[in-house]
Amino acid sequence: MKTLQVELVGDGQNADRSYPIYIGQDLLTKSELIEPYVKGTQVLIVSNDVVAPLYLDKVKKTFAAYDVKIVILPDGEQHKNLDTVNTIFDALLDAKFDRTCTLVALGGGVVGDMTGFAAASYQRGVNFIQIPTTLLAQVDSSVGGKTGVNHPKGKNMIGAFHQPRCVIADSDTLNTLEDNQLSAGIAEVIKYGLIRDMTFTKWLEDNMQKILARDPEALAYAIEVSCKCKAEIVAEDEKEKGVRALLNLGHTFGHAIETSSGYGNWLHGEAVATGMLMAADLSMRIGNISQKDVERVDNLLDMAMLPTRAPHHMDYDHYIEIMAIDKKTRAGKINLILFKKLGDAFLTNNFSLDLLRETIDAHRAIDGK
Ligand SMILES: NC(=O)c1ccc[n+]([C@@H]2O[C@H](COP(=O)([O-])OP(=O)(O)OC[C@H]3O[C@@H](n4cnc5c(N)ncnc54)[C@H](O)[C@@H]3O)[C@@H](O)[C@H]2O)c1
Ligand SMILES: [Zn+2]
């Protein structure tokens, strides 16, 4: 087992909000990992109807020493909304849970984001533990404290920062994941390399087949490097005033694709993959990287079985309309993460909209994904 530490300074309420990420195999049953992080006796485990039949029994045993209640949410991004979060509040109030309770998220990013948001707002904030079970959640959404839900007009528009007390990433859980979900997680792994680590990008190019075959060592290494990158960036810039924005590489395009296609039709990681290629393409058009660099990104995403063409129905105006309410848009100016060079991303609004139009036109699929 590897332990990484997310180093966060105190915020006035809590002296030290630093927390560990445990990465390894066979971790779900290790009660000694969670014991230091449960404050009171009341524990609510939140999962969904796909993950619970697979792993809930194990996790329930791990929390056997506590007064445990369970909430099972419906599966899917289309349920990531306030109505679903309300069912968590209902369960907490029905059980008369107080401010010392602990919420445990067992599932992918959807369960994690909603459970975290419930933990951030129930009685103005209670204890929270993440047990992520998708690759995407293990390398990205469970680390860093962003929580929230979607609104019909925009993805993740309602939310709060609320850090977990610990994260338990058990790579064994990835063995039951669908292939396309594994690939969607790899998109975020690729993102870390492209924004600041070409040695890791090269490693991914050389080891993609092992990752796709779920080789435990390759997976553990990819999770560790990714979490380390995310932990460092979050420690530097918890509330996204600067460097943390780089983690949104491909996400402004990607969110537009997700919003426009209806939540659930494109996986988040798939949309981000296409978005990263669009960011590379625009970086090439503004003269920062070469056509060869763009092809390198395209090939890596291809190796990971990820889509790189956006839905055909999305034209320039469509993107502009959705991007206008992106959280990075300032005073009407669209901000994007682009490349200075591969392995070195930056936030900018200094690009011509004509070039953005060219990128969008070049990435509309002929027919479908
Ligand atoms: N908070 C953040 O910083 C952050 C970062 C990135 C993404 N996100 C959010 O994360 C969400 C995407 O997360 P995701 O990709 O994990 O999606 P997800 O939670 O929908 O999980 C994908 C699918 O896999 C199933 N599943 C989960 N674990 C499984 C397992 N071990 N075996 C078999 N099936 C399993 C789920 O039930 C679901 O059907 C999006 O809503 C996105 O906005 C948040
Ligand atoms: Zn993402």
Side-chain angles (χ1 to χ4, degrees):
M1 184 183 79
K2 290 263 182 205
T3 307
L4 295 174
Q5 194 74 8
V6 184
E7 304 284 357
L8 295 171
V9 291
D11 65 353
Q13 286 180 323
N14 305 294
D16 182 7
R17 295 169 309 123
S18 300
Y19 57 90
I21 307 167
Y22 301 111
I23 302 165
Q25 293 181 268
D26 197 22
L27 303 184
L28 292 190
T29 50
K30 298 214 165 13
S31 48
E32 66 273 20
L33 293 183
I34 53 103
E35 268 158 16
Y37 305 104
V38 183
K39 265 199 291 190
T41 56
Q42 302 168 329
V43 172
L44 182 76
I45 303 174
V46 182
S47 191
N48 74 21
D49 50 24
V50 170
V51 179
L54 297 168
Y55 303 110
L56 183 59
D57 277 350
K58 270 191 175 177
V59 173
K60 261 189 345 203
K61 278 187 200 133
T62 310
F63 285 88
Y66 305 95
D67 169 17
V68 174
K69 298 280 187 291
I70 311 282
V71 173
I72 307 294
L73 305 177
D75 177 45
E77 182 80 29
Q78 66 275 26
H79 298 290
K80 188 178 158 184
N81 55 40
L82 286 175
D83 285 343
T84 308
V85 170
N86 217 19
T87 63
I88 304 178
F89 295 140
D90 289 344
L92 287 163
L93 288 162
D94 284 347
K96 300 191 171 56
F97 272 16
D98 62 34
R99 291 184 96 167
T100 65
C101 71
T102 299
L103 267 62
V104 179
L106 173 68
V110 170
V111 167
D113 278 13
M114 283 197 284
T115 309
F117 185 56
S121 37
Y122 186 65
Q123 304 208 8
R124 298 195 185 80
V126 297
N127 226 11
F128 174 42
I129 291 174
Q130 287 268 25
I131 308 183
T133 61
T134 64
L135 180 60
L136 184 135
Q138 295 185 353
V139 299
D140 193 352
S141 63
S142 68
V143 175
K146 280 193 187 176
T147 74
V149 295
N150 299 327
H151 185 279
K153 288 186 191 296
K155 226 187 107 63
N156 295 330
M157 276 293 156
I158 316 295
F161 283 99
H162 191 61
Q163 299 290 346
R165 299 298 309 274
C166 75
V167 180
I168 297 172
D170 184 337
S171 61
D172 285 346
T173 60
L174 304 181
N175 289 329
T176 52
L177 206 56
E178 301 275 350
D179 288 344
N180 63 340
Q181 297 287 357
L182 185 73
S183 290
I186 298 173
E188 305 278 9
V189 173
I190 290 173
K191 174 186 80 179
Y192 294 115
L194 290 179
I195 60 176
R196 63 173 216 173
D197 187 348
M198 286 312 279
T199 309
F200 185 48
T201 301
K202 176 80 178 55
W203 182 87
L204 287 170
E205 287 169 335
D206 294 341
N207 290 275
M208 190 55 73
Q209 294 316 319
K210 283 193 189 160
I211 296 179
L212 289 173
R214 300 168 209 234
D215 174 281
E217 272 179 33
L219 274 177
Y221 183 72
I223 296 169
E224 189 193 332
V225 176
S226 301
C227 282
K228 202 156 172 259
C229 178
K230 178 132 191 199
E232 280 170 16
I233 289 178
V234 169
E236 205 177 311
D237 176 25
E238 184 183 359
K239 297 277 166 75
E240 199 167 313
K241 299 195 172 81
V243 65
R244 185 163 181 176
L246 302 185
L247 294 174
N248 289 309
L249 173 67
H251 281 60
T252 302
F253 293 110
H255 283 170
I257 294 171
E258 286 179 272
T259 304
S260 169
S261 311
Y263 298 129
N265 290 322
W266 272 65
L267 298 181
H268 174 74
E270 291 176 338
V272 167
T274 298
M276 288 194 291
L277 188 66
M278 294 171 83
D281 182 274
L282 184 53
S283 306
M284 186 259 296
R285 287 175 201 276
I286 65 174
N288 286 7
I289 66 172
S290 66
Q291 178 66 39
K292 259 195 139 154
D293 288 332
V294 179
E295 280 161 20
R296 188 170 174 191
V297 176
D298 202 351
N299 286 340
L300 182 55
L301 296 170
D302 225 44
M303 275 164 74
M305 319 288 280
L306 285 159
T308 50
R309 294 295 176 273
H312 188 259
H313 76 269
M314 293 184 69
D315 61 12
Y316 172 78
D317 293 339
H318 202 114
Y319 279 92
I320 294 294
E321 192 188 321
I322 300 176
M323 284 174 170
I325 59 164
D326 182 84
K327 288 193 281 300
K328 286 182 297 305
T329 296
R330 296 279 177 278
K333 277 218 146 195
I334 295 167
N335 276 280
L336 292 172
I337 313 299
L338 300 180
F339 294 105
K340 281 184 203 153
K341 55 181 193 197
L342 281 196
D344 189 2
F346 72 122
L347 176 73
T348 180
N349 58 22
N350 188 16
F351 48 84
S352 114
L353 292 178
D354 287 341
L355 295 181
L356 176 61
R357 185 190 289 271
E358 283 181 27
T359 290
I360 289 167
D361 287 345
H363 286 81
R364 287 172 72 183
I366 309 294
D367 48 354
K369 227 191 267 182

